[in-house]
Amino acid sequence: YPVNPITIIGAVVIIGIIILFINASARKRKAKQFLSKNPGAALMTFHNKRIGNTDFADNIRIATLNGKEPQWFFVRPTIPAIYLKPGENEIKLYAEWARGGGNHIKMYKSNPISMTVSAQTDGYYSLEYNIPANEYNFEQFDTLAESIRKKN
């Protein structure tokens, strides 16, 4: 019997969604394990480009956090985050963004840098990369909701 192409496409989409949910669950589980081993860890969210504002990078990539691969997860469906240990944290990172449109999109990447950030117990922070200023902005907030609603 011939297989309907729409059936194949539907099956691939459903399998892809299942894999995404499994991956997200595994990331959250690892983040919870980190939190259980590091009580009082601070939460740092990553902010990317906002609609109509091209001054900020699309992605911030953390290569290492305190010499180890970071355990990032999504604190909200489109907002990635990591936990920071209270005190000084050494981060090696770079930013990525795209410019152009249609068939002419060019990818850019900042030079990798190391930066030290200080996190308070149970604190909330955000990190973003300002492209024109060529700098990372690390800000503290009182609540998770404030760090998520951050506006440029």
Side-chain angles (χ1 to χ4, degrees):
Y1 296 95
V3 177
N4 184 341
I6 294 176
T7 304
I8 294 171
I9 292 170
V12 169
V13 168
I14 289 170
I15 291 169
I17 290 171
I18 291 169
I19 291 170
L20 285 174
F21 280 113
I22 291 170
N23 187 7
S25 296
R27 289 191 175 281
K28 280 205 174 198
R29 188 172 40 259
K30 286 182 180 181
K32 286 180 181 178
Q33 288 172 351
F34 179 88
L35 191 57
S36 69
K37 292 177 185 174
N38 299 280
L43 183 71
M44 181 173 72
T45 58
F46 300 99
H47 287 276
N48 54 17
K49 178 176 67 176
R50 275 61 161 199
I51 294 173
N53 186 348
T54 59
D55 287 345
F56 295 90
D58 296 325
N59 294 302
I60 296 175
R61 304 288 186 189
I62 306 291
T64 62
L65 172 64
N66 298 322
K68 297 179 182 176
E69 183 179 342
Q71 297 298 325
W72 67 269
F73 61 100
F74 287 103
V75 69
R76 294 287 188 270
T78 60
I79 301 176
I82 61 172
Y83 282 113
L84 301 172
K85 291 182 179 180
E88 299 290 312
N89 292 272
E90 179 70 24
I91 303 173
K92 291 184 181 177
L93 70 162
Y94 61 93
E96 297 175 322
W97 64 97
R99 290 291 179 266
N103 294 331
H104 303 288
I105 296 175
K106 185 171 180 181
M107 295 298 297
Y108 295 90
K109 181 178 171 182
S110 69
N111 291 325
I113 67 159
S114 291
M115 64 187 289
T116 302
V117 297
S118 182
Q120 294 180 356
T121 302
D122 296 320
Y124 297 99
Y125 300 88
S126 74
L127 182 67
E128 62 190 6
Y129 180 73
N130 185 314
I131 297 167
N134 191 29
E135 67 183 10
Y136 291 90
N137 301 325
F138 179 74
E139 295 181 63
Q140 182 177 6
F141 294 90
D142 293 328
T143 66
L144 175 61
E146 288 177 356
S147 73
I148 290 173
R149 284 193 301 261
K150 181 183 178 330
K151 304 285 188 219
N152 291 323

